[in-house]
Each structure stands twice: as C-alpha cells, then as structure tokens.
Amino acid sequence: MNSMLPIIEELADAPDPKARARWLLEVPLAVIIRDQVTIHRLLSAAGFHEGIAYFAAEMAALSATRGRDGLAPSTIRMTREHARIGIQIIARGGAEEESGNE
C-alpha cells in the first residue's frame, strides 16, 4: 500500500469502524472526490456498510445539480445529514456493535 497518499493510508490502517468513521468525518471533501475509487474500495474491503452509505450520500451531494439557492435538492441534503448522523454515532463509539465491531 506504499503507493497511497498518507491521508489514504490512514483509512487503510484504521483498526475499527470508529476510526474509519472519524476519518470520513475529518477528511477534506477534496480528498473524497479525488480518491473516491480507492476510498470506496477500502470501505468495501472492511465491510463498513454504514461508511459506504455515508460516502455515497456525500458523493451524491457533492455531485448534485444545485438550485438557485446554491443548495442540492432537499432529498439529497436530508439523505446526507441522516447518513452523517449515523457516522457521528459510530465515531463516538455508540454503534460499533451494529457496524460489525472488528
């Protein structure tokens, strides 16, 4: 895995869902866009389904056509926020047993 950037190596080396969730919440959105294929592969390999759902919601929001108010459609924003809340709970250690505590 030495061809990965250090920030992506942090995700690859994350020991559990809590660490992966924290990484997803803290990583710059530019990294998510730039390295989306690698990030998706790492989340899939870890079996981190909640992380994949959050990642997909974030990508949908970042890729959505925005309205005149500069915002993505409300359904996309709601999906993103719902997924973010789930990841925040995991990042705090509150839902590890639901996410396949590794």
Side-chain angles (χ1 to χ4, degrees), residues 61 64-74 77:
T65 300
R66 298 179 294 158
R68 291 180 184 192
D69 58 2
L71 300 173
S74 61
R77 293 192 325 262

Side-chain angles (χ1 to χ4, degrees), residues 16-26 48 81-97 99:
D16 55 29
K18 183 176 179 179
R20 288 183 199 96
R22 285 184 177 169
W23 186 91
L24 283 167
L25 290 170
E26 295 171 2
F48 189 33
E81 288 307 309
H82 179 75
R84 186 187 325 258
I85 290 167
I87 288 297
Q88 288 170 333
I89 292 168
I90 294 168
R92 285 186 294 236
E96 288 183 24
E97 53 283 344
S99 62

Side-chain angles (χ1 to χ4, degrees), residues 11-100:
L11 176 60
D13 295 340
D16 55 29
K18 183 176 179 179
R20 288 183 199 96
R22 285 184 177 169
W23 186 91
L24 283 167
L25 290 170
E26 295 171 2
V27 69
L29 294 175
V31 173
I32 287 179
I33 293 168
R34 182 191 65 212
D35 296 309
Q36 59 187 291
V37 172
T38 302
I39 294 167
H40 189 273
R41 182 180 53 78
L42 291 169
L43 295 173
S44 295
F48 189 33
H49 303 291
E50 294 87 350
I52 294 168
Y54 169 73
F55 175 76
E58 197 68 71
M59 287 303 302
L62 291 168
S63 302
T65 300
R66 298 179 294 158
R68 291 180 184 192
D69 58 2
L71 300 173
S74 61
T75 54
I76 290 177
R77 293 192 325 262
M78 289 187 309
T79 300
R80 180 186 197 188
E81 288 307 309
H82 179 75
R84 186 187 325 258
I85 290 167
I87 288 297
Q88 288 170 333
I89 292 168
I90 294 168
R92 285 186 294 236
E96 288 183 24
E97 53 283 344
E98 295 173 22
S99 62

